[in-house]
Amino acid sequence: MDNSEMDSGKDSMENVVESESVFSMLDLFLFSLIAGLLIYWLVFRKKKEEIPEYKKIQTQTPAVRETSFIEKMKKTGKNIVVFYGSQTGTAEEFANRLSKDSHRYGMRGMAADPEEYDMSELSRLTEIENSLAVFCMATYGEGDPTDNAQDFYDWLQETDIDLSGVNYAVFGLGNKTYEHYNAMGKFVDKKFEELGARRIFDLGLGDDDSNLEEDFVSWREQFWPAVCEHFGVEATGDESSIRQYELVVHSDIGLNKVYTGEMGRLKSFETQKPPFDPKNPFLASVSVNRKLNKGGSRHLMHLELDISGSKIRYESGDHIAVYPMNDLTLVNQIGEILGVELDTIISLNNLDEESNKKHPFPCPTTYKVALTHYLDITNPPRTNVLYELAQYATDPKDQEMMRKMASSSAEGRALYNSWVLEARRNILAILQDIPSLRPPIDHLCELLPRLQARYYSIASSSKVHPNSIHICAVVVEYETKTGRINKGVATNWLKNKVPADNGLKSTVPMYVRKSQFRLPFKSNTPVIMIGPGTGIAPFVGFVQERAWLKQQGKEVGETVLYYGCRHKNEDYLYQEELEQFEKEGVLTKLNVAFSRDQPEKVYVQHLLKRNKEHLWKLINTDNAHIYVCGDARNMARDVQNTFYDIVSEMGTVSHPQAVDFIKKLMTKGRYSQDVWS
């Protein structure tokens, strides 16, 4: 205070003292109130946080344990881990076979999905004596990893982890008709070498266009001796069958606990919940199913699936995956020949309690459901199935024949190729033709591979059809060398899916798989589409979308289609729609090759050569995008060779330079393929 305040009178001083005492009491009250609120807030806040903290710790603990394949191997005494990158189940099957093989060499193996584990732990394999990592890696699409190996692939591309001292081997699964043959297997093999790991056996390359099973068996027969030599171990000579699962028959289980065809969550078909994916497919009702061809012996069909309310989104060029059912006639015949009550409720439980895979298919279920929804009973069984089943043949000659077919001898391979593969004998045909073979049905169910989803190129645009997905397919049916009629599982099943009648919906379990097969980002970019037969499917969606863009006032570039079929009056698919699109100017050029309407056969590649000047202008000057859809083995290869010739001739460059030109278009995303073999 300054002096003027000191000179204030007595009354003034008393007022100040009185005022100060009042403020002191108020301060004390406020301080007490704030302190009380603070303590209350802290105490109750802490109590509220205790529950989520506790839950968080609980959920994390098992996840950490489950992602460590090293700890699992230590705990179970395993020293071989076989990782698989699998899209259709074959690589997983090969991994399981290698894992089971290991016991014959005094070792213990486990098959593992890289998606379920922390792959950065690979460097820790050196902590386990005589350890080995094997990779069965399938290549999918245009040199891509399979869905379950995508994260592993991404990690492997970026990592510089030191894998010194880690032993490894790779078997790749591919198809030579595709541009990037066995790209994933080659990548993993090379990358592991670069990271310092020790390759103990040469990279194996399986070709599904030739004989994938034979390629695998040949590699495997040489692989194990190399393992024995490297680790100084010997074969035990134990060739006995080892069961991976044990049978449990349920006599008093409620039907509400039994799987009836669901892929993942029990009762998921009754209470549908998005998002929909391979483990949780959406039950889409069939709204349209019509025959496309006007004549001929084949049945080509157009289906429309209603996806209203599913929140499923798709783009033109994506694929629809459907889960089919096996023909009940075949299922019942298997039950009859084995003398089994197919409605018996069973579980097959993994004998390895530490395994992430508790059952070979959803359990508990019935034999009928397993054979109808979960198991592949129509493809010729692989050699390992024959080997395991041979023990149940009561006739020594039958047993000898089956074991011979499962062997790696030249005679055995030839017999398997002719008697099983070329004759297209499925498991029912084998049981019919080997009367002394009557295996236990539970072991048969353990050995048969899973029935896989079937993929189709979507034949619609979501811009035009946001609530439906269209499929274009040909029904597969043929006579085998044994005189049997074999039918394609999915196409015959879809053929019988009629739209709702009398309130009963005909449904298809499905999900959408994203694709890189996409229209150009800029609508004014020209497109050249080549798709004979059912290869027309994605281009129906493409043209619908270009028409929609045009209606929105967008500038749309040239849209050129090359389509092919056998006869104009029989199997010209979507003829009315395509001709209408051409009339409206959406399709600027519609080129159709009718291969059998004249003495000499005319295919799409012949029309491409005929229009080489126009095509070269679109590609070289206008930066057009090229799209090819259909058969990989012949058509796609012939079309690609035709483009080599066009580039060489019109660009006046050598053939190697033309090849390099097309390869660069592929790299830039200007030459895309959606092909199958």
Side-chain angles (χ1 to χ4, degrees):
M1 285 184 188
D2 55 30
N3 290 334
S4 62
E5 291 174 327
M6 294 292 289
D7 293 336
S8 298
K10 185 177 178 180
D11 290 342
S12 179
M13 284 294 292
E14 286 175 353
N15 289 337
V16 170
V17 170
E18 187 176 277
S19 176
E20 282 182 356
S21 76
V22 171
F23 279 117
S24 296
M25 289 175 65
L26 184 60
D27 288 346
L28 184 63
F29 172 74
L30 288 172
F31 176 78
S32 301
L33 181 63
I34 292 167
L37 288 171
L38 185 62
I39 292 167
Y40 176 84
W41 182 76
L42 286 169
V43 168
F44 280 87
R45 176 180 173 271
K46 191 172 183 181
K47 283 182 179 177
K48 283 181 181 177
E49 284 187 342
E50 281 174 359
I51 295 171
E53 282 295 318
Y54 178 68
K55 283 184 176 177
K56 189 176 180 182
I57 292 169
Q58 271 195 325
T59 54
Q60 280 187 345
T61 303
V64 171
R65 181 182 62 81
E66 287 174 1
T67 59
S68 175
F69 67 88
I70 294 293
E71 296 306 319
K72 180 171 284 190
M73 290 174 73
K74 287 179 178 180
K75 186 176 180 180
T76 56
K78 307 284 174 65
N79 55 356
I80 296 180
V81 57
V82 190
F83 291 104
Y84 56 85
S86 187
Q87 196 72 29
T88 63
T90 306
E92 180 180 0
E93 181 191 328
F94 286 177
N96 282 320
R97 287 163 68 175
L98 290 172
S99 174
K100 287 179 74 173
D101 281 345
S102 61
H103 84 281
R104 298 190 177 107
Y105 304 92
M107 306 179 85
R108 295 192 67 193
M110 61 176 266
D113 183 343
E115 196 171 37
E116 296 179 355
Y117 294 101
D118 178 5
M119 298 303 284
S120 66
E121 284 201 333
L122 281 163
S123 59
R124 291 184 59 201
L125 269 173
T126 53
E127 297 173 15
I128 299 172
E129 188 178 2
N130 286 354
S131 61
L132 169 65
V134 185
F135 297 86
C136 292
M137 308 305 294
T139 299
Y140 163 69
E142 295 302 305
D144 302 317
T146 57
D147 293 344
N148 77 308
Q150 184 66 55
D151 291 342
F152 172 51
Y153 173 74
D154 294 340
W155 172 77
L156 209 50
Q157 279 192 310
E158 301 296 327
T159 189
D160 59 356
I161 192 172
D162 182 9
L163 296 182
S164 299
V166 173
N167 301 305
Y168 81 99
V170 180
F171 182 81
L173 296 81
N175 189 310
K176 278 187 176 173
T177 59
Y178 289 84
E179 183 70 25
H180 305 281
Y181 173 60
N182 257 314
M184 189 61 182
K186 292 173 182 176
F187 168 73
V188 172
D189 181 69
K190 184 181 177 184
K191 186 68 176 182
F192 266 68
E193 182 181 44
E194 291 172 356
L195 294 172
R198 185 190 301 115
R199 183 191 295 110
I200 67 161
F201 189 60
D202 295 338
L203 166 67
L205 298 176
D207 179 16
D208 198 31
D209 186 49
S210 179
N211 191 327
L212 186 59
E213 173 71 11
E214 187 174 303
D215 292 339
F216 174 69
V217 170
S218 298
W219 180 84
R220 173 178 164 232
E221 289 292 322
Q222 299 170 69
F223 165 74
W224 284 115
V227 171
C228 290
E229 183 180 349
H230 182 82
F231 292 115
V233 297
E234 293 182 2
T236 60
D238 182 9
E239 297 293 320
S240 62
S241 171
I242 294 180
R243 292 292 299 268
Q244 190 176 349
Y245 300 92
E246 66 175 350
L247 172 67
V248 175
V249 177
H250 303 282
S251 56
D252 56 353
I253 191 170
L255 292 178
N256 62 329
K257 295 180 179 178
V258 179
Y259 281 87
T260 57
E262 303 94 328
M263 293 299 132
R265 179 173 56 86
L266 187 65
K267 304 302 175 190
S268 60
F269 289 161
E270 293 178 15
T271 53
Q272 295 257 276
K273 297 176 183 176
F276 298 103
D277 54 35
K279 293 291 184 184
N280 183 38
F282 176 67
L283 279 183
S285 57
V286 178
S287 56
V288 174
N289 185 348
R290 63 184 171 92
K291 188 177 180 180
L292 285 171
N293 51 315
K294 303 179 186 74
S297 58
R298 298 183 303 161
H299 184 99
L300 295 113
M301 57 191 175
H302 170 89
L303 286 94
E304 298 182 11
L305 306 183
D306 187 355
I307 58 169
S308 301
S310 67
K311 297 183 180 178
I312 290 174
R313 299 289 177 264
Y314 73 94
E315 299 292 332
S316 301
D318 282 344
H319 300 132
I320 178 175
V322 303
Y323 284 107
M325 287 170 53
N326 285 314
D327 187 341
L328 278 174
T329 304
L330 300 181
V331 172
N332 290 330
Q333 282 182 288
I334 291 174
E336 289 169 15
I337 210 166
L338 295 180
V340 174
E341 173 51 60
L342 291 177
D343 290 325
T344 304
I345 300 172
I346 57 105
S347 287
L348 288 179
N349 299 332
N350 202 320
L351 291 164
D352 180 0
E353 294 180 358
E354 295 298 320
S355 174
N356 284 5
K357 189 175 182 179
K358 303 302 180 187
H359 315 282
F361 43 78
C363 290
T365 189
T366 65
Y367 286 125
K368 178 171 279 186
V369 169
L371 292 169
T372 304
H373 293 273
Y374 300 138
L375 298 172
D376 184 346
I377 62 173
T378 58
N379 274 313
R382 299 193 187 277
T383 57
N384 67 303
V385 177
L386 299 181
Y387 179 85
E388 297 269 357
L389 293 180
Q391 62 185 305
Y392 300 114
T394 54
D395 186 330
K397 289 182 180 178
D398 291 340
Q399 200 171 108
E400 182 186 355
M401 183 186 78
M402 293 181 72
R403 290 220 165 104
K404 183 184 287 184
M405 288 192 292
S407 74
S408 59
S409 69
E411 187 183 356
R413 288 178 189 173
L415 182 60
Y416 174 75
N417 287 339
S418 62
W419 199 82
V420 178
L421 295 183
E422 291 172 13
R424 300 299 297 173
R425 276 185 172 91
N426 56 34
I427 190 61
L428 175 60
I430 287 171
L431 291 172
Q432 290 171 337
D433 293 345
I434 306 180
S436 82
L437 178 64
R438 295 296 178 263
I441 192 169
D442 60 291
H443 198 180
L444 182 65
C445 289
E446 176 180 325
L447 293 170
L448 290 174
R450 284 292 296 268
L451 179 62
Q452 299 295 323
R454 271 36 176 195
Y455 298 99
Y456 298 95
S457 302
I458 294 176
S460 55
S461 166
S462 60
K463 299 289 191 297
V464 182
H465 301 283
N467 294 316
S468 68
I469 290 178
H470 302 181
I471 296 174
C472 170
V474 58
V475 175
V476 177
E477 186 173 315
Y478 60 93
E479 185 176 345
T480 70
K481 289 183 177 180
T482 65
R484 293 179 172 91
I485 301 299
N486 277 9
K487 296 181 177 182
V489 176
T491 54
N492 280 276
W493 174 73
L494 286 171
K495 178 186 175 183
N496 295 317
K497 289 285 179 181
V498 295
D501 187 27
N502 297 326
L504 294 173
K505 286 185 178 180
S506 194
T507 57
V508 173
M510 52 73 65
Y511 65 93
V512 169
R513 184 175 68 181
K514 295 298 177 183
S515 166
Q516 299 301 315
F517 202 71
R518 288 279 185 269
L519 279 169
F521 180 72
K522 294 181 179 178
S523 62
N524 62 353
T525 302
V527 297
I528 303 163
M529 304 169 290
I530 303 109
T534 55
I536 187 71
F539 303 134
V540 174
F542 278 15
V543 176
Q544 286 178 0
E545 190 145 326
R546 302 278 272 193
W548 180 84
L549 288 166
K550 201 170 183 181
Q551 288 172 0
Q552 305 305 305
K554 302 279 187 183
E555 182 187 349
V556 177
E558 281 200 54
T559 305
V560 180
L561 175 64
Y562 285 83
Y563 171 66
C565 61
R566 296 177 182 179
H567 301 283
K568 182 176 182 178
N569 295 326
E570 282 187 8
D571 55 355
Y572 186 172
L573 308 184
Y574 301 105
Q575 179 180 357
E576 293 79 10
E577 293 95 322
L578 295 176
E579 289 177 349
Q580 183 62 33
F581 280 129
E582 185 181 34
K583 186 178 178 182
E584 293 171 357
V586 176
L587 265 178
T588 48
K589 188 66 179 172
L590 173 60
N591 307 276
V592 187
F594 304 108
S595 63
R596 302 180 189 183
D597 273 351
Q598 59 284 313
E600 72 287 350
K601 290 188 176 180
V602 177
Y603 297 113
V604 286
Q605 59 266 30
H606 298 129
L607 300 188
L608 291 171
K609 280 185 180 178
R610 196 179 296 169
N611 298 326
K612 59 190 175 185
E613 291 87 359
H614 179 231
L615 289 169
W616 178 243
K617 176 187 175 295
L618 289 176
I619 298 165
N620 190 49
T621 307
D622 301 337
N623 295 315
H625 284 221
I626 302 168
Y627 300 90
V628 182
C629 182
D631 165 52
R633 185 177 288 117
N634 298 308
M635 182 278 298
R637 189 178 290 170
D638 291 341
V639 165
Q640 197 164 318
N641 287 331
T642 301
F643 275 112
Y644 292 157
D645 294 340
I646 291 172
V647 172
S648 180
E649 181 183 347
M650 301 306 299
T652 60
V653 295
S654 66
H655 182 76
Q657 288 174 313
V659 170
D660 185 56
F661 180 89
I662 294 297
K663 301 288 187 196
K664 284 179 179 175
L665 289 186
M666 290 178 175
T667 304
K668 293 174 182 176
R670 285 183 54 202
Y671 192 115
S672 303
Q673 299 183 92
D674 180 5
V675 294
W676 55 84
S677 61

